[in-house]
């Protein structure tokens, strides 16, 4: 199961699926194994099975509340990403995850605290995205508050309980994803340059190629969202720089790539955005067509 978690974070989805399937054969009633299997199934387009398994865990009162918190977070993600996204219901589940996990952040067992803080950071980021993507009032006022609180929780997690520092990359990615859809003029350069600096630091401090690949994967998606922000605001040269850098990272070491359905869609969106930038910036329709 742990192997599946590590491999999925690094984009090795086929290997992760093999590992989690083996874990479920050994211990079929373990709810954490079921949640990981459901998440990987969703990544490959099987949302029906994913929702069913996740819902069963979330609603089973015999399962520890912290595990149900993770299930509520995951269930909210599926609702936000479905064919007909329901952002209000997604928020409801993400808020349930916050309520359940918050009770364990001072637990005496370090593993429990770490899981609680991990769920809390993820759920706060998810609420920020739900609000940005939904039809809610005062989005530009409310969204930054959730992002700020997520950042505070992440830094506390890293400082007090040796949280994985790649969580900062999640903060950058979500921040730029949110501002790529919110109305208004937002300068993506500060957050993006900080993300690049942090990503380079994490890669340089590790000689583990799997870990480096995970960081690069996060950074490539961050750069894609940064390019979207800059493109929407008419800053085309900067948008193109970020998009090209995202392409380099997203294509990465092709031998390591086992893209999920989500990964393939993300790459298609990135290529389309890059083509659009070329078409609008220099009227270079020949180059744009290659990307399309």
């Amino acid at each position: 199961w742990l192997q599946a978690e590590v491999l999925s974070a690094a984009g090795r989805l086929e290997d992760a699926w093999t590992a989690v399937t083996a874990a479920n054969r050994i211990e079929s009633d373990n709810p954490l194994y079921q949640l990981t299997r459901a998440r990987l199934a969703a990544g490959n387009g099987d949302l029906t099975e994913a929702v069913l398994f996740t819902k069963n865990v979330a609603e089973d009162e015999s399962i520890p509340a912290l595990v149900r918190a993770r299930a509520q977070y995951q269930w909210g993600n599926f609702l936000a990403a479905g064919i007909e996204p329901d952002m209000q219901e997604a928020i409801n589940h993400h808020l349930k995850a916050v309520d359940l996990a918050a009770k364990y952040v001072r637990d005496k067992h370090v593993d429990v605290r770490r899981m609680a803080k991990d769920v809390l950071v993820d759920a706060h980021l998810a609420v920020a995205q739900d609000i940005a993507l939904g039809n809610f009032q005062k989005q530009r006022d409310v969204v930054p508050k959730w992002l700020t609180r997520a950042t505070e929780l992440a830094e506390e997690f890293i400082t007090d309980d040796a949280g994985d520092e790649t969580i900062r990359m999640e903060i950058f990615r979500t921040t730029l994803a949110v501002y790529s859809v919110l109305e208004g003029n937002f300068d993506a350069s500060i957050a993006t340059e900080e993300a690049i600096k942090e990503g380079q630091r994490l890669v340089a401090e590790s000689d583990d190629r799997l870990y480096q690949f995970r960081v690069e994967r996060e950074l490539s998606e961050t750069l894609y969202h940064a390019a979207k922000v800059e493109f929407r605001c008419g800053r085309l040269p900067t948008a193109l720089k970020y998009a090209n850098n995202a392409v380099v990272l997203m294509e990465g070491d092709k031998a390591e790539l086992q893209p999920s359905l989500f990964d393939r869609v993300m790459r298609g969106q990135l290529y389309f955005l890059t083509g659009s930038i070329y078409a609008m910036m220099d009227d270079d329709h020949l180059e744009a067509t290659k990307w399309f």
Side-chain angles (χ1 to χ4, degrees), residues 7-193:
L7 289 167
S8 66
R12 298 269 294 277
L13 276 300
E14 294 171 18
D15 294 339
W17 181 257
T18 300
V20 79
T21 301
N24 274 273
R25 278 200 302 267
I26 296 166
E27 196 174 337
S28 61
D29 60 349
N30 188 307
L32 285 175
Y33 299 180
Q34 292 171 13
L35 289 178
T36 300
R37 181 184 172 89
R39 177 168 53 80
L40 293 176
N44 279 316
D46 193 350
L47 205 57
T48 301
E49 178 186 339
V51 171
L52 177 62
F53 275 93
T54 303
K55 181 175 181 290
N56 289 342
V57 173
E59 294 182 339
D60 188 342
E61 294 290 332
S62 69
I63 291 174
L66 186 52
V67 178
R68 286 188 281 118
R70 179 177 279 191
Q72 290 286 355
Y73 161 71
Q74 188 162 290
W75 192 357
N77 289 352
F78 296 156
L79 288 165
I83 296 173
E84 296 181 0
D86 189 336
M87 307 318 296
Q88 183 58 64
E89 272 302 297
I91 286 179
N92 292 341
H93 288 285
H94 287 143
L95 290 177
K96 285 180 184 177
V98 170
D99 289 341
L100 288 169
K103 301 171 185 176
Y104 295 92
V105 293
R106 298 290 179 263
D107 195 273
K108 64 181 180 180
H109 299 290
V110 64
D111 288 346
V112 173
R113 290 199 310 272
R114 285 169 56 83
M115 183 183 288
K117 291 179 179 181
D118 188 51
V119 171
L120 275 177
V121 173
D122 285 342
H124 276 73
L125 292 174
V127 171
Q129 286 187 297
D130 296 339
I131 296 170
L133 290 167
N135 185 23
F136 301 102
Q137 295 181 344
K138 299 183 179 179
Q139 290 167 302
R140 289 186 63 81
D141 296 328
V142 177
V143 167
K145 294 178 181 179
W146 284 94
L147 293 173
T148 298
R149 183 57 183 147
T151 302
E152 293 169 350
L153 289 165
E155 291 302 325
E156 179 187 325
F157 184 17
I158 293 168
T159 301
D160 296 347
D161 282 304
D164 183 355
E165 290 183 281
T166 58
I167 203 166
R168 293 192 182 108
M169 303 302 296
E170 294 179 38
I171 302 282
F172 290 126
R173 170 174 51 79
T174 305
T175 298
L176 288 159
V178 161
Y179 282 105
S180 73
V181 298
L182 283 179
E183 293 292 329
N185 191 346
F186 176 72
D187 184 356
S189 62
I190 296 175
T192 307
E193 295 306 319

Side-chain angles (χ1 to χ4, degrees), residues 118-283:
D118 188 51
V119 171
L120 275 177
V121 173
D122 285 342
H124 276 73
L125 292 174
V127 171
Q129 286 187 297
D130 296 339
I131 296 170
L133 290 167
N135 185 23
F136 301 102
Q137 295 181 344
K138 299 183 179 179
Q139 290 167 302
R140 289 186 63 81
D141 296 328
V142 177
V143 167
K145 294 178 181 179
W146 284 94
L147 293 173
T148 298
R149 183 57 183 147
T151 302
E152 293 169 350
L153 289 165
E155 291 302 325
E156 179 187 325
F157 184 17
I158 293 168
T159 301
D160 296 347
D161 282 304
D164 183 355
E165 290 183 281
T166 58
I167 203 166
R168 293 192 182 108
M169 303 302 296
E170 294 179 38
I171 302 282
F172 290 126
R173 170 174 51 79
T174 305
T175 298
L176 288 159
V178 161
Y179 282 105
S180 73
V181 298
L182 283 179
E183 293 292 329
N185 191 346
F186 176 72
D187 184 356
S189 62
I190 296 175
T192 307
E193 295 306 319
E194 285 296 315
I196 292 171
K197 187 186 304 182
E198 180 67 4
Q200 289 173 336
R201 182 185 72 82
L202 292 173
V203 168
E205 290 180 0
S206 174
D207 58 3
D208 182 341
R209 183 57 193 141
L210 201 61
Y211 179 80
Q212 293 172 341
F213 197 71
R214 176 185 179 180
V215 174
E216 290 169 359
R217 201 162 167 259
E218 284 280 355
L219 185 55
S220 67
E221 196 175 334
T222 299
L223 287 164
Y224 162 68
H225 292 302
K228 281 177 64 179
V229 172
E230 296 299 283
F231 178 71
R232 181 170 57 80
C233 294
R235 295 184 287 267
L236 300 183
T238 310
L240 184 60
K241 179 181 76 171
Y242 292 151
N244 281 332
N245 287 340
V247 168
V248 171
L249 289 171
M250 195 169 284
E251 293 186 339
D253 185 349
K254 292 186 182 296
E256 297 288 336
L257 291 176
Q258 295 175 352
S260 67
L261 178 63
F262 173 83
D263 293 326
R264 293 195 294 271
V265 170
M266 176 62 65
R267 191 177 306 170
Q269 290 175 328
L270 173 59
Y271 292 164
F272 180 79
L273 174 63
T274 305
S276 300
I277 297 169
Y278 275 111
M280 292 189 66
M281 187 171 72
D282 297 320
D283 286 334

